[in-house]
Amino acid sequence: MKSFSEHLKEIRKDKYNSMDAVAQNSVFDSSNYNKFENGKGNPTIETILKMASAFKIPPKELFDFDFDIEKYKIDE
């Protein structure tokens, strides 16, 4: 299973070499982006749109990864 942060890192490596390059091509800084790649932050919808714009991809592509729903199932 791949997480959002792992998927984000793969996209970034495919499009740019470094996190600094992402920051140069977007309106957020590399320290904020680093949090998302390391799974330590939750991007807002606005940030998702900025990431998609920086990568020149549709926003939905950021969420196109394998996800194990059972791992995050809420007990009823």
Side-chain angles (χ1 to χ4, degrees):
M1 177 188 77
K2 190 185 332 176
S3 69
F4 176 77
S5 59
E6 291 168 327
H7 183 63
L8 191 59
K9 186 180 285 187
E10 286 178 1
I11 292 171
R12 192 249 313 151
K13 286 182 177 182
D14 184 50
K15 303 287 183 180
Y16 301 103
N17 289 331
S18 69
M19 285 188 243
D20 288 334
V22 172
Q24 290 172 354
N25 289 287
S26 62
V27 293
F28 51 93
D29 64 44
S30 59
S31 64
N32 279 338
Y33 179 82
N34 189 31
K35 291 178 196 174
F36 307 132
E37 255 195 33
N38 290 317
K40 305 225 188 249
N42 295 312
T44 63
I45 295 296
E46 182 180 357
T47 300
I48 293 290
L49 296 174
K50 290 176 184 178
M51 281 188 235
S53 178
F55 293 137
K56 298 175 178 59
I57 60 173
K60 69 178 187 169
E61 194 172 318
L62 291 169
F63 298 99
D64 188 14
F65 60 95
D66 295 328
F67 181 76
D68 182 4
I69 193 103
E70 292 300 317
K71 182 177 179 184
Y72 297 95
K73 193 171 186 176
I74 299 172
D75 295 330
E76 295 177 17

